[in-house]
């Protein structure tokens, strides 16, 4: 999330301009919500012992609700205005004329549980939940030389956070390669929404690493 600029977002209706401008800045509540959502998506199924099928079913129901709300919001201007008034601390400019980040978040979670082992899915979502908002805060606060659509400070923070999470989960230093690759991939412009790109790329690389070094 730290590397995406709203400058490329579709233009929103003029009446939303003041509300959209009010969402600029570090947005600490948005980052906290991002982290909490990912932690819940990754850890609740594990704590409750849900099989992957149940996890996917629950997330799919939430996705249907989220898509329905997006469709209503984007087609009824008064609802969209209310969305930005009430949820200003959690909203971003790109959501004024596009799908909400939380909807993409659910897509990333569902695909992770569909494509990867439970452990790899959980770790991939944790990288999204922790490394991404941490990188956003550091990148916006300290900035520095640009790397693609990101900054040196944000990218290094993402790398450190992702590597720490994966090291705790896998216990092999080789996971630093996964953390580095995802941190750099996340700065590539036009590659897609972070909430899908980060967990899917992390899961793919973790799976490939596990096959190479022979660990789970």
């Amino acid at each position: 999330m730290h590397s995406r600029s709203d400058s490329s977002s579709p233009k929103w209706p003029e009446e939303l301009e003041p509300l959209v401008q009010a969402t600029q800045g570090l947005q600490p509540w948005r980052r906290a919500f991002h982290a909490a959502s990912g932690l819940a998506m990754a850890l609740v199924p594990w704590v409750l012992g849900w099989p992957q099928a149940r996890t996917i079913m629950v997330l799919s129901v939430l996705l249907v609700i989220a898509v329905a709300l997006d469709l209503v919001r984007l087609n009824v201007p008064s609802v969209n205005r209310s969305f930005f008034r009430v949820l200003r601390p959690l909203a971003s400019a790109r959501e004024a004329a596009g799908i909400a980040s939380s909807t993409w978040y659910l897509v990333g979670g569902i695909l992770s549980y569909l494509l990867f082992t439970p452990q790899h899915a959980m770790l991939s979502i944790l990288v999204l939940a922790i490394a991404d908002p941490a990188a956003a805060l550091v990148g916006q606060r300290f900035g520095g030389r640009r790397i693609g659509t990101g900054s040196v400070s944000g990218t290094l923070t993402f790398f450190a956070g992702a590597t720490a999470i994966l090291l705790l989960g896998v216990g092999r230093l080789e996971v630093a390669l996964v953390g580095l690759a995802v941190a750099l991939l996340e700065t590539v412009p036009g590659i897609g929404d972070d909430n899908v790109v980060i967990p899917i790329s992390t899961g793919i690389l973790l799976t490939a690493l596990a096959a190479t070094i022979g660990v789970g």
Side-chain angles (χ1 to χ4, degrees), residues 106-141:
L106 288 165
V107 172
I110 291 169
L111 290 175
S112 297
Y113 281 112
L114 276 171
L115 297 174
F116 311 124
T117 65
Q119 181 194 25
H120 289 173
M122 180 175 70
L123 291 173
S124 298
I125 295 169
L126 286 175
V127 169
L128 173 64
I130 298 173
D132 189 38
L137 288 172
V138 172
Q140 288 189 37
R141 177 65 179 82

Side-chain angles (χ1 to χ4, degrees), residues 11-22:
K11 184 62 180 175
W12 44 82
E14 187 175 348
E15 64 267 19
L16 278 180
E17 183 67 28
L19 296 173
V20 171
Q21 290 302 320

